[in-house]
Amino acid sequence: MNLRTHRVAGWLRTGVSALALAGLLAAPVTAVHAQGEMTAMAGIERDTEIEEILHQEMDPVFAAANMDPKRVQLYMINDPTLNAFTASGYHMVVNSGLIMQTKTPNELEGVLAHETGHMERGDVARVGEATKGIVGPMIIGLGLGLLAALAGAPSAAAALIYSGSYFGEINGMAFGRDQESRADEAAITYLEKAGYSGQGIVDFFENFRGEEDFSNIRKYPFWVDHPLTDYRIEALTVRAQSQPHWSAKDSPESIAQFEVMKAKIKAFTNRPFQTYVDYPDTDQSFPARYARAIADYRELETDRAIKEMDALIAERPDDPYLYELKGQCLMESSRAVEAEVPLLKAVSLRPEAPLLRLLLGQDLIAENNPAKLDDAIVTLNRSLVVEPDDPIPWQYLAQAYDAKGQEGMARLASAEQEFHLGQMKDARAFAMRARNFLKRGTPEWNRATDIVLSSNPSADDLKAMGQQG
């Protein structure tokens, strides 16, 4: 992925907003846990298409749990292990490994419905209260790992997230049998209200019966804090089979979207040659052709990739993510001017998606055309309307303002970026410099002042501010 080597065709690592990140860092969790060459290292991935598919599947479940689906934030971690977790504040994180190891949409719905049960019942807060001595250090470790990934230090992130004490600590957070049973019951209730079958969660548990032993902790961390027993499976099965929607099947649309999601994850996480093996030319399904187009793009076979994308677009002219992929491919091939048209189309089809506007803004800057800088600034600011605490747009706003010679605004944007990354010392330094260039009393000058005052200023900083006015 390549936003500062973080962005790859629609994928955005660690573009999670600071508010969301703060929620993850400050709250207990139920379990835990790119682009360019995406690796097995854990890192929060942002992909509008995958998040949209997950919401399409899970929003009926959230509504059945009397939660506003719009309040639930769904994120994906690039981690091949089987796991998912929730944190207080309506955050749910899904490992890519869980998506890949579920066999049907209904299995994934079932597992996430179970997590929804923990979320709705407040089990996260209860576990946190009961395990304060364990959770505190673990959250700090996870927080540092996420922030390291966010700042573009993947090796440090991996070391921090997967510290030697991690698995022992997470084991101490295991839910009790009563909490697990209640979450199972809640899951069946939500699935039934949503019109989904409970068979998926039963099948999922059956597939992994006996896998929660210690030797499989790193492979299947989900079972560490979700202990699986024969009694639990039997009780779940009896209740699920008694529901009217037990025989309900996944819709063709749901299956198709599920396969697209899996194909996209495979194409971005596996090496291209593996994608060609998994999706040979003889497979002319949409997911296979989509995966091969991504593999071609990653192999720098730009013309072949664009040809495949154009064929897909001809069949699906209203799919914003095909235009996004084409625009990303062109931009990273030093063809930013050509990339603008498909990226504008992607934004027009999903105007509410901030990551699409972010990519368009990045491309407009990459065109190196002074006449495009104002459009880039407007586009990036519109992405911040939806996710105001995402640090990445601020990075590109700093570039755009600097290219326009607006030194005060460039430094203010850099201050915002560092502030939302939690780098308070750097945020304070940039904000102090911004005040030197901005007109006193303007909203921008006041914002720079606010950043200084909220980032632990020293006595010298306050004295300097007083001298500036």
Side-chain angles (χ1 to χ4, degrees):
M1 151 170 87
N2 199 5
L3 259 183
R4 210 208 254 159
T5 66
H6 289 337
R7 194 89 171 80
V8 170
W11 290 68
L12 177 60
R13 184 201 307 144
T14 63
V16 60
S17 72
L19 285 178
L21 184 64
L24 290 173
L25 302 190
V29 294
T30 68
V32 142
H33 6 93
Q35 245 136 349
E37 285 295 316
M38 289 178 51
T39 68
M41 184 276 294
I44 290 181
E45 306 291 344
R46 298 298 308 279
D47 182 83
T48 305
E49 182 174 26
I50 289 178
E51 290 175 9
E52 182 178 281
I53 292 171
L54 289 173
H55 266 289
Q56 286 173 352
E57 295 300 318
M58 291 306 300
D59 282 358
V61 175
F62 298 145
N66 295 317
M67 294 190 295
D68 181 357
K70 293 181 180 179
R71 294 188 63 191
V72 180
Q73 299 296 313
L74 278 165
Y75 305 109
M76 185 182 74
I77 282 186
N78 176 35
D79 187 326
T81 58
L82 186 154
N83 207 5
F85 69 88
T86 59
S88 57
Y90 297 101
H91 302 291
M92 183 178 292
V93 182
V94 184
N95 277 19
S96 58
L98 175 64
I99 296 172
M100 299 309 296
Q101 293 187 60
T102 49
K103 298 177 180 178
T104 66
N106 190 229
E107 284 192 12
L108 183 60
E109 292 158 0
V111 176
L112 299 187
H114 174 92
E115 289 299 314
T116 303
H118 285 305
M119 182 187 292
E120 193 277 333
R121 294 188 67 254
D123 289 343
V124 179
R126 294 189 185 97
V127 168
E129 186 64 28
T131 59
K132 282 182 177 178
I134 297 171
V135 173
M138 193 190 76
I139 293 300
I140 292 172
L142 291 175
L144 291 173
L146 291 174
L147 285 172
L150 192 62
S155 298
L160 288 163
I161 292 175
Y162 289 106
S163 62
S165 61
Y166 161 71
F167 290 101
E169 291 165 348
I170 196 70
N171 193 39
M173 290 182 64
F175 287 122
R177 181 175 298 176
D178 180 63
Q179 288 173 311
E180 285 302 293
S181 295
R182 290 182 181 276
D184 288 344
E185 292 177 5
I188 298 302
T189 298
Y190 304 153
L191 291 166
E192 179 62 30
K193 285 184 178 180
Y196 295 157
S197 172
Q199 186 171 356
I201 189 172
V202 172
D203 290 345
F204 178 81
F205 284 1
E206 285 285 1
N207 292 339
F208 293 93
R209 187 192 289 262
E211 296 287 3
E212 73 277 22
D213 59 88
F214 183 78
S215 64
N216 280 311
I217 283 178
R218 288 184 179 270
K219 187 176 180 182
Y220 303 116
F222 182 80
W223 306 121
V224 178
D225 66 332
H226 297 75
L228 192 60
T229 64
D230 290 340
Y231 172 80
R232 180 182 169 197
I233 294 176
E234 291 165 6
L236 181 69
T237 301
V238 169
R239 185 152 191 274
Q241 288 179 336
S242 69
Q243 303 302 309
H245 284 96
W246 168 258
S247 299
K249 303 299 181 184
D250 290 314
S251 69
E253 295 78 15
S254 180
I255 294 172
Q257 291 288 75
F258 186 68
E259 293 304 321
V260 166
M261 182 164 58
K262 281 193 165 187
K264 193 170 193 179
I265 292 171
K266 281 185 177 181
F268 274 119
T269 55
N270 295 336
R271 294 189 180 279
F273 81 85
Q274 184 61 52
T275 300
Y276 298 137
V277 171
D278 293 338
Y279 298 99
D281 289 339
T282 53
D283 186 346
Q284 289 297 303
S285 66
F286 176 82
R289 293 164 63 198
Y290 195 17
R292 289 196 298 271
I294 294 170
D296 289 341
Y297 150 62
R298 295 182 65 212
E299 277 282 76
L300 304 181
E301 295 287 351
T302 303
D303 291 338
R304 188 168 69 189
I306 294 300
K307 182 179 179 180
E308 186 70 71
M309 293 171 201
D310 283 340
L312 293 172
I313 287 171
E315 295 175 14
R316 301 190 177 192
D318 295 326
D319 187 332
Y321 308 114
L322 295 176
Y323 294 101
E324 178 192 25
L325 180 62
K326 180 178 179 180
Q328 180 73 25
C329 180
L330 289 167
M331 183 183 72
E332 293 192 352
S333 300
S334 300
R335 295 160 65 177
V337 175
E338 294 176 65
E340 182 180 347
V341 172
L343 291 176
L344 282 169
K345 181 66 174 180
V347 169
S348 71
L349 290 168
R350 284 292 186 281
E352 73 283 2
L355 298 187
L356 299 185
R357 292 189 183 277
L358 172 55
L359 183 57
L360 173 59
Q362 181 185 356
D363 180 72
L364 292 170
I365 295 172
E367 290 187 32
N368 291 318
N369 181 351
K372 295 289 184 178
L373 291 174
D374 285 337
D375 289 341
I377 290 169
V378 169
T379 299
L380 292 166
N381 276 311
R382 289 192 66 180
S383 78
L384 287 166
V385 170
V386 181
E387 293 186 349
D389 301 303
D390 186 340
I392 304 300
W394 292 112
Q395 173 188 345
Y396 288 100
L397 279 168
Q399 293 181 19
Y401 284 124
D402 187 62
K404 284 177 63 67
Q406 297 183 16
E407 297 181 74
M409 292 299 295
R411 285 161 176 74
L412 177 58
S414 293
E416 293 279 10
Q417 179 193 1
E418 300 298 340
F419 182 80
H420 295 305
L421 283 170
Q423 304 295 320
M424 294 305 172
K425 180 179 179 181
D426 291 337
R428 187 168 64 250
F430 276 115
M432 290 288 287
R433 294 173 199 160
R435 281 168 46 93
N436 290 329
F437 290 96
L438 296 169
K439 184 178 180 180
R440 182 178 177 180
T442 61
E444 293 77 17
W445 186 89
N446 290 336
R447 174 58 183 165
T449 302
D450 289 343
I451 291 175
V452 173
L453 294 176
S454 59
S455 56
N456 304 316
S458 65
D460 288 341
D461 291 327
L462 294 175
K463 182 177 179 181
M465 286 181 66
Q467 292 172 346
Q468 290 175 353

